[in-house]
Amino acid sequence: RGGMGEVWLAERADGEYRQQVALKLLKRGMDTQAILRRFLQERSILARLTHPRIVRVLDGGMSPDGRPWYAMDQVQGRSATEYAAAVALPVEARVDLVAQVADAVAYAHAQLVVHRDLKPSNIMVDADGVPHLLDFGIAKLLEETGEETVTGTGVRLLSPAYAAPEQILGQPVGTATDVYALG
């Protein structure tokens, strides 16, 4: 469970084929227009990103009770810090792990997407040691000028331990925000 959604392990059940996915569903009671718009924006942003280190959207829709959902690749693994500690990852391998995530972040930036919530728990490392960037719940689309799009809410969403100074101060964010958090 996160701020606005729940993630479930799901499996297609129509007999066509079998595939397990992670299914993110808007939480009950989170159906304000602002939250609904943010959830649908997350789904839209993630669907436009195609990178081997970014979790992939497979499908989306509305539940019978009217809550939006989307299915994405299911990544079995641990957060980046849990993985590094569990396998006693040496410094060189940690740097390589961060470099792989930085490549995914650079790709997102090239698509005019700023993640805005880069932290170890949003980087899952699978059993093969491959990192996967996920949770674009507070991501922002940038305009062609590189400026932040206007949300109209005035609400600052962030994880304080990883937030860049401009996020904490309520100033406009850009790609440097993610670079700071990644560091």
Side-chain angles (χ1 to χ4, degrees), residues 106-164:
Y107 168 80
H109 290 171
Q111 307 307 309
L112 303 176
V113 174
V114 178
H115 190 283
R116 295 196 318 163
D117 199 22
L118 291 174
K119 57 187 177 183
S121 62
N122 285 339
I123 302 165
M124 290 295 265
V125 183
D126 66 24
D128 295 326
V130 177
H132 302 269
L133 182 57
L134 45 102
D135 197 354
F136 282 72
I138 65 170
K140 295 296 289 179
L141 286 173
L142 299 177
E143 309 249 348
E144 291 294 334
T145 63
E147 295 299 316
E148 179 182 16
T149 57
V150 178
T151 63
T153 64
V155 176
R156 290 186 296 159
L157 301 170
L158 50 87
S159 293
Y162 300 95

Side-chain angles (χ1 to χ4, degrees), residues 33-97:
Q33 285 302 313
I35 298 294
L36 181 60
R37 187 171 46 252
R38 186 171 305 285
F39 188 90
L40 294 173
Q41 180 178 356
E42 175 186 8
R43 184 171 74 181
S44 175
I45 287 172
L46 201 48
R48 70 190 274 181
L49 299 177
T50 305
H51 188 278
R53 300 292 174 261
I54 297 176
V55 69
R56 182 174 52 122
V57 167
L58 304 169
D59 199 3
M62 296 295 270
S63 70
D65 65 356
R67 293 185 290 159
W69 61 271
Y70 65 88
M72 60 190 147
D73 288 327
Q74 188 236 353
V75 179
Q76 289 209 349
R78 305 175 193 186
S79 74
T81 50
E82 289 172 352
Y83 173 81
V87 301
L89 205 60
V91 171
E92 298 82 11
R94 290 174 191 239
V95 170
D96 181 59
L97 192 75

